[in-house]
Amino acid sequence: MNCKLEYILKHDCVSFDVFDTLVKRYVSSPADVFDIVELKYNKLHNVSNEKISGFKELRIKAEFEARKKMKEEVSLNEIYNCLEFNPAITEELKKLELKTEYEVCTPNKSIVYLFNECIRNGKKVIIASDMYLPEDTIRNILNHCGIIGYEKLYLSASIRKAKKTGRLFRYILDKENLAPYQLVHIGDSLKSDFIRPKMMGIHAMRVTCPKMKVDNEYYLSLLNNIIDYTCQSKEDYWKYIGYRCLGPLLWGYTHWLIENFQKEKLNRIYFFARDGFIMKRAFDIVNKDESLKSYYLEVSRRSLRVPILWNDPSFINLLTMLSPSKRISLKSIFDGVGLNIIDHIALVRKYGYDLNSYFYRNTILEENRLMLLYNELQNEIILNSKKEFILMCEYMKQMHVEGRFAVVDIGWSGGMQRFLQKSLGIIGIENEILGYYTGVADYYKRNMNDGKLSLHGYLFDFYNNVNSVDKRSPFVGLYETLFLEQKGSVKNYIRDKNEWLVAERYDYEYQMNGELQEEYYIVEKIQSAALDFINDIEAIEFVKYIPFTPDVLFANLKAVGLSPSRKDLKMLAKFRFFDEGETFSLVSSKSFIYYVFNPRCLKNDLLSSKWKIGFLKCLLKIPFPYFKLYKILKNRN
């Protein structure tokens, strides 16, 4: 950069090109602007017989026809005169194109730095562009991008002379009273900005502004252009993960929530702790509808499950309340009923178990010793449940949880919604709860025993569509970790010194002996960057017209989950995950040789892994279709 600047400052006058030099567009191709124009027009005219189609092709054809009539350069008006729409539609489309061009532009910071340094060093700075847009539009774009202080703007559409023919450069030399060697021009076009001025004796520097890669989906390409142009912290792995992967998903989910709340005329929304904390922060950034009142409800599976166990303390009912994993630990059973296994170690040993005992879900009801152990605990389970029920219900009344309202959480089967609905029903509080989740899994039916639930999923929704695909199951632990609040899980409810009901929290998993662990700061970084993305994209006007689908906004996170790079595995594999009283590493695979001699351990470790694709890739360490392998293994278990 300094070497370039030193060379540039040797000249009396410095000329800069505009597009792909001083200014970049979020879109991959200038013609992509026409797609956005069509989207805008059709959204403004949301009646089928007023909509247009194929505008991009028509606009490209019109420009081609206009250029055939002109020798040097065309104006935007001349292009639109070749469009076959009635005058009113033509004028509206032209205004939309001008507005969209303004909105899709962002400064190319490295070149703007050179531009500003030239001005700071007292150089004469001009701008020269081959462009059909009107001069006032170009000036507005430059101002919008913070590009000010230049002396003159030379625009081919205004002067009717182009750089590509050399006539605009001759015009500039004349007007500025310069010899060719006194001018240095900086631009991106090989022919217009480099070869042509060089042929005329003008010094030239070509900007190698990287063209954004075009992904298989147009909208994913656009999304990643926006990310790459706006992200300020690509060098920080955790912030980039938050900005690129969590941010888009969280942003799309928030807009989906708002659309559904408005459609259903819901005005009270309760975000469930802990995953709902980052969701509520995102919601508060995006929501502009003052009628939507959001609240943070400090609840957990444990704080809602334990208080209703007295109503049906059977082991079969408990199974519907625990995590749906195929392997169930004894620890998670004790955690599920609100008891500490350490306090009952004698009873555990009496039946021949220990702290590491586990069972397979499909045969657990055949474990006679376990059933006997559970029967011995039932009186204690019921007494503790009734005690917690009283305080939990009082907390709900205190938070005015009643009537018709929405609850928001990460998902997956509506268990907490079921527990809450059951509790309110027992104490006679009328309620109609609509649940909104990032996904509703196929095992939601286990929560329908206590009455029908209203469930809605963003990424996938088996409740409303039996053909849905569970997109997060191969990396559920990684997915859930991104949403974690930086506080411990809610245990139950206690009275404070003012007799107010407050949530009693467990110790935060990522705090040990009073010291915050590395994971705390990592999650904080990821979530902070995700909110930065939401703030940044909300400030880009044209984005609100782009029909980003959930799949597009999930694509970057899905790519990490299903096709992690070596760096992804190195950074994420040892991340600890906590669930139902147990601690796991996202990936905790041993060596391939170890599993050759201990094949049973392979099955147990794979089932315990909360990022199974990562587990398999860490184990085999070779290029392989790991997602296909995961599906084969899943179907066999």
Side-chain angles (χ1 to χ4, degrees), residues 208-224:
T208 54
C209 185
K211 300 297 180 184
M212 304 309 297
K213 60 182 180 294
V214 179
D215 298 297
N216 291 332
E217 289 195 49
Y218 167 75
Y219 293 119
L220 179 56
S221 173
L222 177 58
L223 173 67
N224 284 332

Side-chain angles (χ1 to χ4, degrees), residues 86-119:
N86 71 52
I89 294 175
T90 299
E91 188 61 25
E92 185 173 0
L93 289 168
K94 183 170 65 176
K95 288 178 180 177
L96 286 173
E97 180 174 336
L98 291 172
K99 190 170 189 296
T100 304
E101 283 283 7
Y102 175 86
E103 292 167 355
V104 301
C105 288
T106 188
N108 186 3
K109 293 178 182 176
S110 61
I111 306 302
V112 172
Y113 167 80
L114 290 176
F115 172 91
N116 287 331
E117 284 298 297
C118 289
I119 292 174

Side-chain angles (χ1 to χ4, degrees), residues 270-303:
Y270 293 93
F271 288 82
F272 283 167
R274 294 183 288 173
D275 301 324
F277 185 71
I278 183 65
M279 295 175 182
K280 187 177 186 308
R281 292 179 69 188
F283 180 85
D284 291 342
I285 292 171
V286 174
N287 179 43
K288 304 298 186 293
D289 186 342
E290 293 183 0
S291 70
L292 300 179
K293 305 297 182 185
S294 67
Y295 307 90
Y296 190 56
L297 200 63
E298 294 192 77
V299 292
S300 68
R301 277 180 292 177
R302 190 248 177 254
S303 78

Side-chain angles (χ1 to χ4, degrees), residues 543-565:
V543 166
K544 70 182 181 182
Y545 297 98
I546 307 300
F548 288 118
T549 64
D551 282 344
V552 167
L553 296 172
F554 181 58
N556 290 333
L557 178 54
K558 181 181 177 182
V560 173
L562 296 185
S563 304
S565 66

Side-chain angles (χ1 to χ4, degrees), residues 117-301:
E117 284 298 297
C118 289
I119 292 174
R120 193 176 68 81
N121 281 275
K123 289 294 166 183
K124 176 183 279 191
V125 175
I126 62 174
I127 293 175
S129 178
D130 281 352
M131 173 49 65
Y132 49 75
L133 292 175
E135 191 168 316
D136 59 347
T137 299
I138 299 296
R139 290 189 185 277
N140 287 338
I141 288 171
L142 293 169
N143 288 340
H144 171 64
C145 294
I147 300 165
I148 57 175
Y150 54 92
E151 293 194 15
K152 286 186 183 176
L153 170 62
Y154 292 95
L155 200 60
S156 62
S158 301
I159 301 167
R160 297 295 184 169
K161 301 177 191 295
K163 288 184 297 181
K164 63 187 174 185
T165 62
R167 294 181 66 203
L168 183 57
F169 286 118
R170 290 193 196 97
Y171 183 86
I172 290 170
L173 293 174
D174 246 10
K175 286 292 181 181
E176 299 297 333
N177 195 25
L178 293 168
Y181 68 85
Q182 291 177 293
L183 175 66
V184 59
H185 178 70
I186 301 166
D188 70 295
S189 170
L190 178 61
K191 180 181 178 181
S192 300
D193 294 313
F194 190 74
I195 294 176
R196 179 60 70 181
K198 284 276 192 180
M199 289 171 63
M200 300 173 65
I202 296 168
H203 295 284
M205 292 177 59
R206 190 177 177 216
V207 174
T208 54
C209 185
K211 300 297 180 184
M212 304 309 297
K213 60 182 180 294
V214 179
D215 298 297
N216 291 332
E217 289 195 49
Y218 167 75
Y219 293 119
L220 179 56
S221 173
L222 177 58
L223 173 67
N224 284 332
N225 287 357
I226 293 170
I227 290 168
D228 287 338
Y229 284 161
T230 57
C231 184
Q232 303 295 312
S233 47
K234 295 179 190 174
E235 71 288 345
D236 187 311
Y237 176 84
W238 302 115
K239 287 185 178 179
Y240 195 43
I241 283 284
Y243 199 94
R244 185 179 178 85
C245 298
L246 178 59
L249 171 61
L250 197 55
W251 173 70
Y253 178 53
T254 302
H255 274 280
W256 176 79
L257 288 175
I258 293 170
E259 288 171 11
N260 277 277
F261 297 156
Q262 291 171 336
K263 182 175 67 176
E264 292 291 339
K265 295 181 171 56
L266 291 161
N267 54 25
R268 278 188 304 133
I269 300 102
Y270 293 93
F271 288 82
F272 283 167
R274 294 183 288 173
D275 301 324
F277 185 71
I278 183 65
M279 295 175 182
K280 187 177 186 308
R281 292 179 69 188
F283 180 85
D284 291 342
I285 292 171
V286 174
N287 179 43
K288 304 298 186 293
D289 186 342
E290 293 183 0
S291 70
L292 300 179
K293 305 297 182 185
S294 67
Y295 307 90
Y296 190 56
L297 200 63
E298 294 192 77
V299 292
S300 68
R301 277 180 292 177

Side-chain angles (χ1 to χ4, degrees), residues 246 250 271-281 295-301 303 395 408-410 416 477-491 493 503-511 516-528 531 575-578:
L246 178 59
L250 197 55
F271 288 82
F272 283 167
R274 294 183 288 173
D275 301 324
F277 185 71
I278 183 65
M279 295 175 182
K280 187 177 186 308
R281 292 179 69 188
Y295 307 90
Y296 190 56
L297 200 63
E298 294 192 77
V299 292
S300 68
R301 277 180 292 177
S303 78
Y395 173 75
V408 181
D409 196 14
I410 195 169
M416 290 169 64
L478 171 62
Y479 186 101
E480 292 185 5
T481 296
L482 301 179
F483 288 85
L484 196 60
E485 182 189 0
Q486 280 82 59
K487 282 185 179 179
S489 180
V490 176
K491 181 181 180 182
Y493 303 95
E504 180 180 20
R505 299 260 190 157
Y506 285 107
D507 291 337
Y508 187 47
E509 298 95 321
Y510 299 128
Q511 183 170 356
L516 291 171
Q517 303 297 295
E518 183 182 16
E519 289 98 333
Y520 172 92
Y521 298 103
I522 289 172
V523 173
E524 189 178 53
K525 271 188 177 184
I526 290 171
Q527 293 184 353
S528 176
L531 296 177
F575 210 103
R576 287 168 297 170
F577 179 79
F578 302 88

